[in-house]
Amino acid sequence: MYDYIDGKLAFKGAAHVVIDAGGVGYHINISLNTYSQIPEGERCKLFVWLHVKEDAHTLYGFATEGERRLFMHLISISGIGPNTGRMMLSSITPAEIQAAIVQGNVAAIQRIKGIGPKSAQRVILELQDKLRKEGPDTLTVMPGLKTAKDEALSALVMLGFVRNVAEKVLDQEISKNSGVLTVEQLIKSALKSL
């Protein structure tokens, strides 16, 4: 429902912030990782996710789109809810979580408070392939202006193709056509080769 909230930082705490946007104060739960990245000052922009339950609507905020994407992966696992996901992102950095999952490091995941051996194994089992497929730069901030190749690569990865294979095919198509292809043309010609 919401992608981000941008406004005046009315309150900043280790567990939540209040952002005044358009005269409405949004109470947004955050991880310690996000807390450390929120600059002191007037304005604040957080990527958000709205959790709707029978008795509550709760906003969770993230400093980057990559952190939110990892959070969504984590809560997709049976037994890991939003608060546990937030705890995981507060215990170690998103990059460390991703590296531990991709490398199958059960001990690193298990060190997080509230995550036992079975949960750690389930996290790795269910997310290892997804995070490998997305590639190591999935947590980096997406640039505002993307090239046609970047857009096409993103679309192919979303369709389920492995990032490095799709990137090689796109490079071949660009070199064949002297780099003058639209995003749609790139995707269509890449799909023929994949």
Side-chain angles (χ1 to χ4, degrees), residues 133-151:
K133 194 180 279 188
E134 286 181 5
D137 58 348
T138 188
L139 296 178
T140 58
V141 177
M142 298 293 179
L145 297 172
K146 289 184 172 185
T147 64
K149 178 190 168 192
D150 292 336
E151 291 285 343

Side-chain angles (χ1 to χ4, degrees), residues 29-106:
N29 294 301
I30 59 171
S31 67
L32 287 175
N33 179 63
T34 293
Y35 174 77
S36 67
Q37 293 183 47
I38 296 174
E40 294 297 330
E42 287 287 310
R43 294 205 66 79
C44 180
K45 176 181 177 180
L46 292 179
F47 294 92
V48 294
W49 177 72
L50 176 63
H51 183 221
V52 178
K53 292 190 310 187
E54 220 174 84
D55 60 343
H57 290 202
T58 310
L59 281 170
Y60 291 87
F62 309 92
T64 65
E65 172 62 33
E67 183 183 8
R68 177 173 64 181
R69 204 172 315 123
L70 180 60
F71 175 80
M72 298 305 292
H73 282 312
L74 292 171
I75 65 170
S76 72
I77 295 171
S78 175
I80 295 183
N83 284 325
T84 304
R86 183 170 67 144
M87 175 66 72
M88 292 175 80
L89 292 169
S90 294
S91 300
I92 58 178
T93 67
E96 291 169 335
I97 292 172
Q98 184 179 22
I101 292 169
V102 169
Q103 295 163 2
N105 188 346
V106 177

Side-chain angles (χ1 to χ4, degrees), residues 149 153 156 162-172:
K149 178 190 168 192
L153 180 60
L156 291 170
V162 178
R163 177 178 285 276
N164 57 357
V165 173
E167 193 164 16
K168 284 179 190 172
V169 170
L170 287 172
D171 287 337
Q172 291 168 357

Side-chain angles (χ1 to χ4, degrees), residues 147-149 170 172-187 189-190:
T147 64
K149 178 190 168 192
L170 287 172
Q172 291 168 357
E173 294 300 326
I174 290 169
S175 63
K176 266 195 264 179
N177 296 292
S178 64
V180 216
L181 291 172
T182 66
V183 175
E184 293 81 12
Q185 292 169 328
L186 265 174
I187 293 171
S189 54

